């Protein structure tokens, strides 16, 4: 195996790992932001529910 073939194979492998890690980070950020949105929505619902109940 030539040195150029080894370098090319290593570049392909490391690029694949890098893309996989980037996609993993994107999914992690998406899941975390979804959980934050769910929490904010729940908090808003509780606040509006208490506000409506105080007037009724």
């Amino acid at each position: 195996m030539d040195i150029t073939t080894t370098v090319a194979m290593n570049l392909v492998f490391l690029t694949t790992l890098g893309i996989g890690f980037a996609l993993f980070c994107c999914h992690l950020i998406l899941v975390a932001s979804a959980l934050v949105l769910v929490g904010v929505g729940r908090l808003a619902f509780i606040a509006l529910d208490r506000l409506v109940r105080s007037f009724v």
Side-chain angles (χ1 to χ4, degrees):
M1 217 183 260
D2 289 325
I3 188 72
T4 55
T5 306
T6 305
V7 169
M9 288 174 64
N10 283 334
L11 283 175
V12 168
F13 175 69
L14 292 175
T15 303
T16 304
L17 283 182
I19 291 171
F21 182 70
L23 288 175
F24 172 73
C25 289
C26 288
H27 283 100
L28 200 64
I29 289 170
L30 285 174
V31 168
S33 62
L35 289 174
V36 167
L37 284 174
V38 167
V40 168
R42 183 172 183 240
L43 185 65
F45 172 75
I46 291 172
L48 287 173
D49 188 43
R50 299 284 164 88
L51 188 64
V52 168
R53 285 187 186 186
S54 68
F55 288 121
V56 173

